[in-house]
C-alpha cells in the first residue's frame, strides 16, 4: 500500500519517539558504567532522531503545500487560494505545527552537539544527549497524544478554512523560527547543567563548552524578539513596538536570564568563580523558555499567538513544566552544596561588575515574571480579569535598568580580581562628556519640558561611546603611532568586538525607544478626499480610496500624498483587507522611512458621513529600536566566530580511552 505524506510524517514521529527513549537512557547508563560502547550510542541516535523529526516536518510542509484537506491541520489553517509562502508559514502558524517546529529545533541542537562536540569528555557528552532525549521524549509524547498534526478528516473537505489573516505576512516566515531557535537553544545550557549536577563536578572548561551554545541561542532569541516586535508594529496597525503582553514577556524573560547567564559564564570561565550561580542560571533560563511555551500553548491566553484551546493540552504541558523545572531544582538543591565555590574577588573588579549585572538582570526578570503571572493567577483563582501594562513596568522594570545600563561601560574597564574604579572612570571621561553634551542638547531641543527623556538620551550615548572607548583603550589609541594602535586593534580577539557591538546595540535601542516614546507626533482624525492632515514638518493629503483584490482577499487601498516642508512629496497607501474564508479583516499600515525615522499611517473605520478615520504618526529615530537588536545579534555572531569559543577546549588525546575520562575538576 502506498503511503501518503501524512502517514509518513506520523510514522516518523513514532520512530522519533522510540529513538528519543533510546537516547534518554542508553548513553546515561553508559556514562554511569563508563562503558564507551553504550555512550557511543548517544551521538548516532541523536543524529538519526533529527533525521526522522525533519522527515515528519517535511511531510507536514508537503501536505500544506499540496492543500491536502483530508489532514485536519491543513483544513483548519490553510486554503487553496493563499500564496505558497503562506502555505509554508502556515505549517507553524498553528498549535500542532508550532510544537513540531519546537521539537525539530530541539532535535537539531541535539544533533549539533553530537556532531560538533567531539572535544567534550565522553561522559559529559553522553549525559548532555540523554537530557536532550528526556526533553524530546516529553514533547513527542505531548504531540502524539494531544496534538497530532497528521490527524485525518473523513470525509475530506473540498476547501480549507484559511490561515489566520493576521499571520499571512512575511514576518511569520522569520519570527517564529528565530524565536524558537532561541527558546529551544537554551535547552543545551540546561542539559549541560543537569549533566554537571549528575556528575557532581564542574569547572572552567564546562563554562567554555556551554558558552557558545548559550551565545547561539541568545543571538537567535534577540533576532526573534526584534522581528516579532517589528511585525506587531507594522501588521497590527496600533503603532506601538512593545505592549508588555504576556506573549511578548514570555520571550523577553528568557532573554534577560540568558543575558545574565552569558555574563556569569564569562566569570566562571576566566576566574573559576560563580559556579553554582551559573548552573542555577542555566536551569532558570530554560525553565523560563518552558514557562513561555506553557503560557502560549496551554490555552490560558486568548491571543493571536495562543493556538491551544483544549484543557488536556494545558495539563500535559504543565506536567512537563513541573517535571523538568521541579526535577532540575531538586537535583540542584541536592548537588549544589557539594560543588566547589571557586575563586574569590574584590567587589570593585570585573567579576564584581558582572555580578552587579546579574543581580539587576535577574531582579528585572522577576519583575516581568510577576507582572505576567499575577493576572493569570488572579483570573484562575478568583475569575477576576485585570491587565498589567506599561505603567507597572515603568515603575518597576525601568528603575532596575538605569543602574544596570550606567554600569555596563565600567565592566570592560576593570581588571579581573581587583579593579581601579577611579582609573576606569578616567578612561571613560570622553564617554561621560559626550553623554552630558547629549543630555544638554536634548534639553535644549525639547524646550526643557522634562528631564527624563534627555537623561535617557544621554544614557544611550553613554553605552555607545563606552563601547568605542573600550576598543580604543584596548588598542591604546593616541599612546603611540597609529600603525601600532591599528595593529593592536586588529589583533584583538573577536569576542572583544562582539562585546562592544552588543553594548553599542543596546545603546541604539535605548535611543530609539526614548525618541519615539517622548517625541513622536500623533494625529487621529477623520478626512475626506482632498483634506489634509498636518504632521510635524509634513502635510498628508487624502487623495482617494480604490478597490483591489489579492489571491484570497479583497482590499480597500487609500492613497495619501505626503509633502514635506522642503517641497519633496511621495505617496503612501495604507489599506484594509477582507478575507472571505475567515470573515475577518486586517489593517495594512503604510510606512515611509526617512533616514532613521518613519511616517506611519493606519486606517480606521469609515464614519457615518463617509469620512475615513486615519491614525498618522511621525516616529523620530524609531528604526534604531530594531537596528540595535540587529547590531546586538551581529555582535553575538562575531563573538561566536572567535576561535576560543568555537574550539572551547583542547581536543581529547588520541591515545586516551574514551570511557576513562570523567568531568575534570
Amino acid at each position: 500500500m502506498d503511503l501518503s505524506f501524512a502517514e509518513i510524517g506520523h510514522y516518523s514521529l513514532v520512530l522519533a519517539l522510540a529513538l528519543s527513549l533510546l537516547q534518554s537512557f542508553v548513553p546515561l547508563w553508559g556514562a554511569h558504567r563508563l562503558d564507551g560502547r553504550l555512550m557511543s550510542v548517544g551521538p548516532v541516535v541523536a543524529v538519526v532522531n533529527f533525521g526522522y523529526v525533519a522527515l515528519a516536518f517535511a511531510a507536514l510542509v508537503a501536505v500544506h503545500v499540496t492543500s491536502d484537506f483530508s489532514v485536519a491541520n491543513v483544513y483548519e489553517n490553510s486554503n487553496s487560494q493563499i500564496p505558497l509562502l503562506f502555505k509554508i508559514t502556515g505549517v507553524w502558524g498553528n498549535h500542532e505545527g508550532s510544537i513540531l517546529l519546537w521539537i525539530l529545533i530541539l532535535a537539531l541542537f541535539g544533533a549539533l552537539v553530537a556532531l560538533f562536540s567531539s572535544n567534550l569528555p565522553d561522559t559529559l557528552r553522553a549525559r548532555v544527549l540523554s537530557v536532550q532525549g528526556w526533553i524530546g521524549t516529553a514533547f513527542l509524547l505531548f504531540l502524539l497524544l494531544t496534538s497530532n498534526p497528521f490527524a485525518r478528516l473523513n470525509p475530506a473537505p473540498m476547501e480549507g478554512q484559511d490561515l489566520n489573516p493576521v499571520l499571512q505576512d512575511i514576518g511569520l516566515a522569520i519570527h517564529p523560527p528565530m524565536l524558537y531557535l532561541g527558546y529551544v537553544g537554551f535547552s543545551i545550557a540546561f542539559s549541560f547543567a543537569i549533566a554537571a549536577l549528575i556528575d557532581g563536578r564542574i569547572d572552567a572548561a564546562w563554562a567554555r563548552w556551554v558558552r557558545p551554545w548559550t551565545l547561539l541561542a541568545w543571538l537567535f532569541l534577540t533576532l526573534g524578539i526584534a522581528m516579532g516586535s517589528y511585525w506587531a508594529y507594522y501588521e497590527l496597525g496600533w503603532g506601538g513596538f512593545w505592549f508588555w503582553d504576556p506573549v511578548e514577556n514570555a520571550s523577553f524573560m528568557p532573554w534577560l536570564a540568558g543575558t545574565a547567564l552569558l555574563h556569569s559564564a564569562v566569570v566562571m570561565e576566566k576566574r573559576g568563580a560563580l559556579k553554582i550561580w551559573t548552573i542555577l542560571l542555566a536551569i532558570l533560563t530554560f525553565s523560563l523558555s518552558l514557562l513561555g511555551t506553557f503560557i502560549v500553548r496551554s490555552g490560558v491566553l486568548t491571543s493571536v499567538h495562543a493556538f491551544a484551546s483544549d484543557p488536556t493540552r494545558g495539563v500535559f504541558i504543565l506536567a512537563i513544566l513541573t517535571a523538568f523545572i521541579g526535577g532540575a531544582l531538586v537535583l540542584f538543591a541536592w548537588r549544589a552544596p557539594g560543588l566547589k565555590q571557586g575563586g574569590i574577588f574584590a567587589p570593585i573588579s570585573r567579576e564584581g561588575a558582572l555580578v552587579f549585572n546579574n543581580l539587576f538582570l535577574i531582579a528585572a526578570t522577576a519583575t516581568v515574571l510577576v507582572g505576567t503571572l499575577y493576572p493569570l493567577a488572579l483570573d484562575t483563582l478568583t475569575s477576576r480579569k485585570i491587565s498589567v501594562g506599561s505603567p507597572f513596568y515603568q515603575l518597576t522594570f525601568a528603575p532596575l535598568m538605569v543602574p544596570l545600563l550606567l554600569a555596563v561601560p565600567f565592566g570592560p574597564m576593570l581588571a579581573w580580581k581587583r579593579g581601579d574604579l577611579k582609573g576606569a572612570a578616567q578612561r571613560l571621561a570622553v564617554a561621560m562628556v559626550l553623554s552630558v553634551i547629549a543630555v544638554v542638547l536634548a534639553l535644549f531641543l525639547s524646550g526643557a519640558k522634562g528631564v527624563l527623556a534627555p537623561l535617557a538620551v544621554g544614557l544611550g550615548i553613554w553605552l555607545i561611546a563606552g563601547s568605542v572607548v573600550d576598543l580604543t583603550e584596548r588598542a591604546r589609541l593616541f599612546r603611540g603611532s597609529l600603525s601600532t594602535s591599528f595593529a593592536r586593534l586588529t589583533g584583538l580577539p573577536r569576542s572583544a568586538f562582539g562585546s562592544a557591538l552588543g553594548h553599542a546595540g543596546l545603546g541604539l535601542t535605548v535611543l530609539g525607544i526614548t525618541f519615539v516614546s517622548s517625541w513622536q507626533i500623533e494625529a487621529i482624525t477623520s478626512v475626506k478626499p482632498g483634506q489634509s492632515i498636518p504632521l510635524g514638518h509634513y502635510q498628508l493629503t487624502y487623495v482617494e480610496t480604490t478597490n483591489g483584490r489579492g489571491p484570497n482577499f479583497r482590499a480597500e487601498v487609500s492613497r495619501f500624498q505626503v509633502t514635506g516642508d522642503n517641497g519633496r512629496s511621495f505617496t503612501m497607501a495604507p489599506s484594509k483587507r477582507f478575507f472571505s474564508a475567515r470573515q475577518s479583516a486586517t489593517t495594512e499600515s503604510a510606512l515611509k522611512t526617512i533616514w532613521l525615522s518613519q511616517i506611519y499611517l493606519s486606517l480606521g473605520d469609515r464614519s457615518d458621513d463617509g469620512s475615513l478615520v486615519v491614525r498618522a504618526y511621525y516616529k523620530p529615530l524609531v528604526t534604531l529600536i530594531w537596528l540595535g537588536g540587529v547590531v546586538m545579534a551581529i555582535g553575538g555572531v562575531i563573538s561566536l566566530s572567535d576561535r576560543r569559543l568555537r574550539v572551547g577546549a583542547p581536543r581529547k588525546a588520541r591515545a586516551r580511552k574514551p570511557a576513562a575520562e570523567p568531568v575534570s575538576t
Side-chain angles (χ1 to χ4, degrees):
M1 182 180 67
D2 293 334
L3 294 178
S4 70
F5 288 123
E7 276 69 45
I8 292 173
H10 192 201
Y11 294 153
S12 296
L13 287 178
V14 173
L15 289 171
L17 174 60
L19 289 170
S20 290
L21 285 168
L22 189 65
Q23 182 181 333
S24 298
F25 298 106
V26 173
L28 188 66
W29 182 247
H32 177 71
R33 297 289 302 272
L34 295 180
D35 187 326
R37 291 173 300 175
L38 292 179
M39 284 190 285
S40 66
V41 169
V44 175
V45 171
V47 173
V48 177
N49 185 26
F50 168 69
Y52 276 114
V53 176
L55 180 60
F57 190 81
L60 187 58
V61 172
V63 295
H64 271 263
V65 170
T66 58
S67 295
D68 183 355
F69 298 122
S70 69
V71 178
N73 184 269
V74 181
Y75 165 70
E76 294 169 357
N77 302 284
S78 188
N79 186 285
S80 61
Q81 301 301 313
I82 65 175
L84 176 62
L85 175 63
F86 300 144
K87 287 183 178 181
I88 295 173
T89 59
V91 171
W92 53 79
N94 59 84
H95 170 77
E96 294 83 2
S98 65
I99 293 296
L100 181 53
L101 176 64
W102 205 102
I103 295 169
L104 175 69
I105 294 173
L106 180 75
L108 171 63
F109 274 99
L112 291 176
V113 170
L115 293 172
F116 298 107
S117 293
S118 59
N119 57 325
L120 290 179
D122 295 296
T123 52
L124 179 62
R125 182 167 68 163
R127 291 184 175 114
V128 168
L129 291 175
S130 287
V131 177
Q132 288 291 111
W134 300 347
I135 302 169
T137 298
F139 276 91
L140 280 165
L141 281 171
F142 171 68
L143 190 70
L144 288 167
L145 296 179
T146 72
S147 310
N148 182 8
F150 300 104
R152 290 285 199 174
L153 294 174
N154 190 15
M158 294 296 294
E159 188 55 271
Q161 294 181 336
D162 205 359
L163 179 64
N164 185 338
V166 175
L167 303 181
Q168 295 186 34
D169 183 81
I170 184 63
L172 262 292
I174 305 171
H175 165 54
M178 286 287 185
L179 203 63
Y180 278 22
L181 282 165
Y183 261 171
V184 185
F186 285 126
S187 66
I188 300 297
F190 175 84
S191 297
F192 267 92
I194 299 302
L197 289 173
I198 292 172
D199 189 60
R201 286 175 289 180
I202 184 174
D203 59 7
W206 180 92
R208 285 197 299 275
W209 290 319
V210 81
R211 262 185 77 198
W213 300 105
T214 304
L215 182 57
L216 185 65
W218 178 88
L219 74 89
F220 277 123
L221 187 58
T222 301
L223 289 174
I225 291 173
M227 184 66 243
S229 169
Y230 192 64
W231 170 77
Y233 166 75
Y234 72 77
E235 177 65 22
L236 301 183
W238 64 300
F241 59 89
W242 194 261
F243 194 64
W244 294 106
D245 177 86
V247 175
E248 294 174 328
N249 295 349
S251 60
F252 191 41
M253 289 186 290
W255 186 87
L256 290 169
T259 304
L261 173 60
L262 274 177
H263 290 84
S264 180
V266 171
V267 177
M268 183 176 167
E269 178 186 347
K270 300 295 185 183
R271 300 295 305 161
L274 303 184
K275 293 180 179 180
I276 296 175
W277 175 244
T278 304
I279 288 284
L280 180 59
L281 278 179
I283 293 172
L284 291 179
T285 301
F286 183 61
S287 296
L288 289 170
S289 294
L290 289 176
L291 179 63
T293 303
F294 170 74
I295 289 174
V296 177
R297 299 289 174 250
S298 64
V300 299
L301 293 178
T302 301
S303 164
V304 68
H305 303 78
F307 307 117
S309 57
D310 183 355
T312 305
R313 295 172 174 175
V315 172
F316 204 118
I317 294 182
L318 185 60
I320 294 174
L321 197 72
T322 303
F324 282 101
I325 298 178
L329 292 178
V330 167
L331 181 61
F332 176 80
W334 176 40
R335 285 292 204 181
L339 297 176
K340 293 182 180 180
Q341 296 292 332
I344 59 175
F345 50 85
I348 304 299
S349 62
R350 188 172 299 188
E351 298 97 321
L354 294 172
V355 169
F356 183 88
N357 156 295
N358 269 222
L359 292 175
F360 277 88
L361 281 172
I362 294 305
T365 305
T367 296
V368 179
L369 182 65
V370 170
T372 303
L373 295 185
Y374 177 71
L376 302 178
L378 190 66
D379 183 22
T380 301
L381 297 175
T382 68
S383 297
R384 289 178 55 199
K385 294 187 181 296
I386 65 169
S387 62
V388 175
S390 182
F392 169 80
Y393 294 102
Q394 288 175 357
L395 291 173
T396 56
F397 181 83
L400 290 170
M401 286 292 99
V402 171
L404 171 63
L405 298 180
L406 285 172
V408 164
F410 280 96
M413 296 293 164
L414 295 171
W416 293 104
K417 198 170 183 179
R418 183 179 299 276
D420 178 6
L421 185 60
K422 182 179 178 181
Q426 289 173 342
R427 291 191 292 275
L428 286 167
V430 173
M432 292 179 187
V433 170
L434 290 175
S435 58
V436 169
I437 292 172
V439 171
V440 173
L441 283 175
L443 278 169
F444 174 74
L445 295 175
S446 64
K449 294 180 180 179
V451 296
L452 292 181
L455 288 174
V457 171
L459 189 57
I461 297 299
W462 165 248
L463 290 168
I464 297 169
S467 302
V468 175
V469 169
D470 175 28
L471 294 177
T472 58
E473 283 292 320
R474 288 172 181 262
R476 298 183 181 274
L477 191 63
F478 307 123
R479 299 181 189 176
S481 67
L482 286 177
S483 59
T484 301
S485 297
F486 182 75
R488 287 180 178 273
L489 186 66
T490 54
L492 291 176
R494 294 179 188 175
S495 59
F497 292 98
S499 175
L501 279 176
H503 295 163
L506 184 58
L508 290 174
T509 297
V510 169
L511 285 178
I513 292 172
T514 302
F515 272 86
V516 77
S517 300
S518 303
W519 294 299
Q520 83 169 4
I521 302 171
E522 178 182 0
I524 303 176
T525 186
S526 298
V527 291
K528 293 182 178 180
Q531 293 181 338
S532 297
I533 305 170
L535 191 70
H537 298 291
Y538 298 90
Q539 288 285 331
L540 286 63
T541 303
Y542 176 31
V543 179
E544 62 179 349
T545 295
T546 57
N547 294 322
R549 294 197 65 85
N552 60 330
F553 62 86
R554 58 187 177 86
E556 290 184 357
V557 183
S558 299
R559 190 161 61 90
F560 288 79
Q561 192 70 25
V562 183
T563 305
D565 288 350
N566 58 5
R568 295 182 61 186
S569 65
F570 49 86
T571 300
M572 298 182 68
S575 65
K576 276 185 170 294
R577 294 179 178 177
F578 302 91
F579 295 79
S580 57
R582 285 268 182 170
Q583 289 295 300
S584 59
T586 62
T587 297
E588 301 296 317
S589 304
L591 301 176
K592 176 64 177 180
T593 302
I594 304 166
W595 296 103
L596 296 172
S597 304
Q598 285 185 336
I599 295 176
Y600 182 109
L601 286 183
S602 178
L603 301 180
D605 297 325
R606 286 196 174 275
S607 302
D608 294 337
D609 61 358
S611 60
L612 183 66
V613 176
V614 180
R615 300 174 67 98
Y617 302 90
Y618 176 72
K619 296 178 173 290
L621 302 187
V622 67
T623 57
L624 289 181
I625 297 173
W626 305 291
L627 179 61
V630 172
V631 170
M632 282 189 271
I634 291 173
V637 172
I638 292 174
S639 292
L640 201 59
S641 69
D642 192 313
R643 184 179 180 275
R644 296 175 303 170
L645 282 183
R646 287 186 286 110
V647 174
R651 289 186 176 273
K652 298 172 289 186
R654 291 183 179 179
R656 184 182 55 77
K657 293 182 180 181
E661 176 69 7
V663 178
S664 57
T665 24

